Amino acid sequence: MATPSNVLSPERRLVSQISLTDPRWLAFVSAHPQAMCFHRPAWTEVISESYGNRPFVLAVLGEQGNILGGIPVLETRSLGRRRWISLPFSDTCPPLLSSGLDAGSFALALEEARLQANVRSLEVRAPLAGEENRQRCDAVLHRAALERDPELLFARFHRSQVQRNVRRAEREQTIVVRRAESRQDMTRRFYQLQVQTRHRLGMPVQPRRFFAALWSHMMESEQGFLLLAYSGRDPVAGAVFLSGTQTLTYKYGASDASSWGLRPNHLLFWSAMRAACELGYDWFDFGRSDFEDKGLRSFKAGWAAEEEPLVYTTLAERTHKAGSARGLTAARAVIRRSPTWVSRASGELFYRYAA
């Protein structure tokens, strides 16, 4: 029996490096039903422009040059050795495969590409078939299946944790949710809330240039949107949502803690989920939560979201070693006790190394 022209024999399943701007990759991602916002070239461009990493795509090509499968990658350097990540600052980025390529063959091809390029490690933020011994799970992901009728979705929310708070915020009419319309909404209004939030959590804040790039590459091309919750003339909360083919992903959220009694975050999420239903998305992705953050996990579960393990795979000679939780706790304590400029400055200097 003849082998179909779009199916590669095992010995020819090799990975090619192609440009992130290759129109074949854009077309492949745009048409793939499982493509998330993190697969979009625009998202990789945001990270590359902000932190100076080299972007490219590792792809298996068919005989006609068509893409059978691929992942976006950024190259970083540590102690003179190269490291590939698919993808930094992204909760999950599983390989996108067509029916002409099986998952096991793609995983083997990735490892061969890493070895040939003499790259220290390739981290894929997803499971890879046949590489279970190189996987780790440090967190969970929450996804909610959407409805075409938003009220059917609302009926699935936790009655006291979500429904009651949303209805009370709507009834009191103290908070108004608006879609951001300008770069200033992102780089000034949302950024200021982000600085407050990250400082409160004891974490460095992303550089302002990152949010400028996010606006120019994704918001302006309608590959996502920013919602701001106002109390009077002042924004008291905001959230960034990014678009995939069938999934809308919550990526960043920030708020003024003094406004929590007005429930702005509940209105933000409900506004976004209602819009996702009306726009025809199938899934709403709440993003990553660490195992120990039980409060956040409970909050997300209240929105009819199912929890699933978040598995990462690292192809390397040495196994992954977890970082020191004690050191992270101490660093967060220092930032919380310091002025907000410390959070901003540490982000400018060191955030790129948090990948």
Side-chain angles (χ1 to χ4, degrees):
M1 179 181 295
T3 302
S5 60
N6 68 330
V7 178
L8 298 176
S9 59
E11 65 273 13
R12 293 161 55 210
R13 284 182 177 140
L14 302 177
V15 166
S16 300
Q17 287 192 34
I18 64 174
S19 169
L20 183 70
T21 59
D22 192 309
R24 293 173 297 176
W25 177 243
L26 177 59
F28 185 74
V29 170
S30 299
H32 202 291
Q34 297 176 0
M36 301 183 65
C37 58
F38 305 120
H39 294 103
R40 292 183 180 273
W43 171 250
T44 309
E45 289 172 344
V46 169
I47 305 172
S48 175
E49 181 179 305
S50 300
Y51 303 115
N53 306 118
R54 182 174 75 91
F56 57 96
V57 175
L58 290 176
V60 170
L61 305 179
E63 292 183 351
Q64 305 303 317
N66 56 307
I67 294 178
L68 298 180
I71 53 173
V73 177
L74 281 175
E75 182 176 286
T76 67
R77 287 184 177 271
S78 176
L79 301 176
R81 292 292 304 277
R82 289 180 298 155
R83 176 186 176 206
W84 289 348
I85 312 175
S86 179
L87 202 58
F89 310 110
S90 308
D91 301 326
T92 182
C93 193
L96 294 182
L97 306 178
S98 68
S99 58
L101 182 65
D102 68 88
S105 296
F106 184 72
L108 291 174
L110 288 179
E111 174 68 332
E112 180 65 21
R114 181 188 73 82
L115 293 172
Q116 288 186 353
N118 193 29
V119 172
R120 184 182 66 181
S121 65
L122 166 58
E123 179 180 298
V124 178
R125 302 208 159 166
L128 287 180
E131 298 292 347
E132 289 76 14
N133 62 324
R134 295 180 173 185
Q135 295 175 1
R136 72 182 194 274
C137 181
D138 302 326
V140 295
L141 198 69
H142 285 83
R143 293 199 312 162
L146 299 176
E147 308 277 359
R148 290 297 170 260
D149 181 352
E151 291 304 319
L152 293 178
L153 174 63
F154 188 87
R156 291 165 42 207
F157 295 160
H158 193 282
R159 183 167 298 178
S160 62
Q161 293 181 5
V162 178
Q163 290 184 7
R164 184 180 301 170
N165 285 307
V166 170
R167 292 308 188 207
R168 182 173 178 179
E170 290 178 331
R171 184 172 61 252
E172 293 176 350
Q173 298 184 349
T174 307
I175 297 295
V176 176
V177 175
R178 299 172 186 156
R179 181 164 173 161
E181 298 179 348
S182 69
R183 180 187 300 265
Q184 191 176 60
D185 286 332
M186 177 73 82
T187 60
R188 175 179 291 183
R189 296 178 179 89
F190 179 75
Y191 180 74
Q192 290 174 346
L193 290 168
Q194 184 77 345
V195 170
Q196 293 180 38
T197 300
R198 302 286 287 191
H199 180 259
R200 186 173 65 244
L201 296 173
M203 301 175 68
V205 66
Q206 298 91 340
R208 193 189 297 266
R209 66 178 180 273
F210 174 84
F211 293 102
L214 186 62
W215 182 268
S216 62
H217 286 289
M218 301 199 77
M219 307 295 109
E220 289 185 347
S221 58
E222 297 188 350
Q223 297 182 64
F225 55 89
L226 165 65
L227 294 181
L228 292 170
Y230 286 82
S231 175
R233 300 180 61 181
D234 300 319
V236 295
V240 174
F241 304 92
L242 303 178
S243 303
T245 305
Q246 297 178 347
T247 302
L248 184 68
T249 296
Y250 161 65
K251 184 54 181 158
Y252 301 109
S255 61
D256 181 348
S258 65
S259 71
W260 287 351
L262 303 176
R263 300 162 185 81
N265 293 311
H266 286 84
L267 276 187
L268 282 174
F269 277 109
W270 174 229
S271 298
M273 297 183 79
R274 182 170 53 202
C277 291
E278 294 168 350
L279 291 170
Y281 288 100
D282 294 326
W283 298 95
F284 187 92
D285 173 19
F286 281 88
R288 173 192 171 112
S289 301
D290 293 333
F291 281 132
E292 62 271 18
D293 201 340
K294 296 181 180 179
L296 182 59
R297 292 166 64 182
S298 176
F299 175 80
K300 293 178 179 180
W303 295 85
E306 295 292 329
E307 184 175 286
E308 56 191 69
L310 189 55
V311 178
Y312 292 170
T313 308
T314 300
L315 304 180
E317 286 74 21
R318 296 181 181 179
T319 58
H320 170 79
K321 293 184 179 179
S324 171
R326 181 179 300 177
L328 180 60
T329 300
R332 288 184 172 180
V334 169
I335 292 177
R336 281 195 295 265
R337 291 194 299 266
S338 303
T340 55
W341 67 262
V342 174
S343 182
R344 295 198 304 270
S346 59
E348 289 284 347
L349 293 172
F350 304 118
Y351 200 87
R352 71 176 64 202
Y353 303 111

